[in-house]
Amino acid sequence: MPAPSAIEQLAAADPASWWRQAVVYQIYPRSFADSNADGIGDLPGITARADYLADLGVDAVWLSPFYPSELADGGYDVADYRNVDPRLGTLEDFDEMIAALHARAIKVVVDIVPNHTSDQHEWFQEALAAGRGSAARERYIFRDGLGEYGDEPPADWESVFGGPAWHRVADGQWYFHSFAKEQPDLNWDHPDVHEDFLKTLRFWSDRGVDGFRIDVAHMLTKDLSEPLPSAAELAEIPVDGNHPLLDRDDVHEIYAEWRKVFDSYDPPRSAVAEAWVHFDRVPHYASAESLGQAFNFDLLQADFAAPQFREIVSHNLRLAERSGSSSTWVLSNHDVFRHATRYGLVRHDHETSAPWRHVGGWLEAGAAESQLDRKAGERRARAATLFLLGLPGSAYLYQGEELGLHEVAEIPAEQRQDPTYFRTNAESFGRDGCRVPLPWAASGPSFGFGEGGAHLPQPAWFAEHSVASGNDDPESTLNLYRRALQERARLQTGGDLEWVETGRDDVLSFRRPNGWTVITNFGAEPYETDTSAAVLSSAVSVDGLVPGDTTIWLADA
Ligand code: GLC
Ligand code: CA
């Protein structure tokens, strides 16, 4: 038996805290691996790749929704919270998957979508059939329309995905949907809603799930007392805990109920909030009385630039301290343009817009290949990843980033799926480009994703980013991730970091309590320093130098 790694020792000392320093790999199940040749990834596909995940060295996987869904929003429109979409498998397949992952010491986190159901959910179908004034409509947010004939929406609000937030049903009433019209918002004043989610949390916990990722955790509770404010008035209301729609203080009453369920298991089930809120309010979600941990999305919105990275890290470590949680770090997920592409665009107007705006603008302007320096983007992405993996806290990785994948720009309009594309009249390209099925092989049908094609088209350049190509190349991004996760498991400790001054604005260095040191050169000019204790580098390097766009880890042998 090899000696337990630092991370195993931490977990053994406190099994309830396994998530605090975990590396969590996000799987978008429909695009991971297809076992039955229907072009859609599925749960047996994940089971078949359990060894891949173990070799990669992740501590946990988080599965985006795999529940029955008509896929109006990539599965975030859930028709049945306690089942598996028949296209993705069965509950037995789920049990086999979790057993295969647990056998490899990989924990399983599932996604809970409590703000809205699918319009195919039996409750919503019942509400439509039962008609106005019925008890079934009380579980959602139905209102009569304005105007003499009630044919104007109850308010002129816009949905998060664009277009109106109220939709009219056949009998003339309107319902509220924060996202697509196929995603009616639930009424969290209704006791059935509370009870049903407690049941769902127990259902998956009983099946062995280790934790939950909570979708738009800041949106569930609402104050829709009339008269409803106009969109213009709504925009003026401060988000201070009493806003009609967002980040209300009373949402934590729900999480206090959930906390009792989480803590009734041994070890307690973990949770992480997806809460797009002002940073000052993040600690509410991350506190032990609420969900326990919250995503920090600051790096998604930052340039590859030392001052921004330093500020974000310091700030979020302070926030985590305030909540008693650990920080989270994310460079990519299923909602944003991949970080290799964010960092690879040639023309940046850093002053005027965030990096994902650059990518959006580049896509809209036709995605000219001459504007994307693919190699530079991949190199910076590797450097940023090693920087992130050196930090205290949990690292959330998104499937395909370990292959150095770029955003896929070449998806024809008729093959796009994301509702944001359609609801903005194709003004926003949406998120399909980071959800293209993974390339496992350098050739063959759908690059080894499955025998029956891929539900989103894969570009020719996927060949050189495939798992097979990565395996064969010792210098590949894939092999770097494997080495990095192995080293991280050895070196990771709780605790803080200490910045080391480098004398350069574009070079960051920090030291962990056990002497592990991370140096990232965000600039072009090589940085001279003693590298004799180097254990890992994101790019080929020479003794005594950290090249441009490179991260190096130093540690005692
Ligand atoms: C979250 C999910 C996103 C989804 C939205 C609505 O932001 O990450 O993918 O579209 O919620 O459920
Ligand atoms: Ca399939």
Side-chain angles (χ1 to χ4, degrees), residues 296-490:
N296 130 42
F297 292 132
D298 295 348
L299 289 175
L300 300 181
Q301 309 184 53
D303 290 307
F304 182 73
Q308 293 182 39
F309 270 55
R310 179 168 174 160
E311 170 57 28
I312 287 170
V313 168
S314 299
H315 185 217
N316 281 285
L317 290 176
R318 284 199 300 274
L319 284 180
E321 217 169 277
R322 246 165 75 190
S323 62
S325 185
S326 64
S327 194
T328 56
W329 310 106
V330 187
L331 289 167
S332 277
N333 66 30
H334 67 300
D335 286 332
V336 301
F337 303 123
R338 286 190 178 274
H339 65 287
T341 306
R342 298 204 306 272
Y343 299 155
L345 286 185
V346 175
R347 244 189 330 176
H348 269 205
D349 189 351
H350 295 281
E351 297 303 317
T352 55
S353 63
W356 60 16
R357 298 258 171 277
H358 309 320
V359 183
W362 171 73
L363 287 169
E364 281 154 31
E369 197 57 32
S370 59
Q371 289 300 305
L372 176 62
D373 185 339
R374 287 185 182 264
K375 289 288 167 228
E378 288 159 36
R379 183 181 173 109
R380 290 180 192 134
R382 282 196 298 269
T385 298
L386 281 207
F387 177 91
L388 167 144
L389 289 172
L391 296 169
S394 319
Y396 284 81
L397 310 179
Y398 177 53
Q399 70 178 35
E401 64 168 84
E402 78 278 21
L403 306 176
L405 286 188
H406 276 276
E407 187 75 8
V408 178
E410 43 282 76
I411 304 176
E414 65 279 8
Q415 280 179 278
R416 292 211 170 254
Q417 300 175 6
D418 187 348
T420 62
Y421 179 72
F422 302 102
R423 294 186 61 88
T424 60
N425 296 319
E427 254 172 52
S428 156
F429 271 80
R431 304 159 293 178
D432 294 320
C434 67
R435 299 176 177 184
V436 174
L438 291 190
W440 293 89
S443 59
S446 63
F447 298 106
F449 168 68
E451 296 288 319
H455 67 95
L456 281 168
Q458 299 160 303
W461 53 261
F462 260 32
E464 61 203 75
H465 288 270
S466 66
V467 174
S469 318
N471 282 339
D472 292 345
D473 174 5
E475 301 305 325
S476 68
T477 301
L478 178 57
N479 280 320
L480 177 68
Y481 268 65
R482 288 176 176 146
R483 288 196 299 274
L485 294 189
Q486 206 178 1
E487 279 298 317
R488 184 183 195 273
R490 186 172 76 84

Side-chain angles (χ1 to χ4, degrees), residues 186-203:
L186 284 162
N187 170 16
W188 273 93
D189 287 333
H190 199 298
D192 287 0
V193 175
H194 286 251
E195 248 165 64
D196 200 67
F197 275 92
L198 294 174
K199 200 168 158 188
T200 296
L201 295 174
R202 284 196 206 96
F203 179 87

Side-chain angles (χ1 to χ4, degrees), residues 33-45 87-89 449:
D34 173 20
S35 71
N36 62 350
D38 63 357
I40 302 175
D42 44 50
L43 300 186
R87 286 167 292 188
L88 271 68
F449 168 68

Side-chain angles (χ1 to χ4, degrees), residues 268-283:
R269 295 336 190 207
S270 66
V272 57
E274 185 214 19
W276 293 88
V277 299
H278 186 268
F279 60 76
D280 259 335
R281 299 191 48 91
V282 171

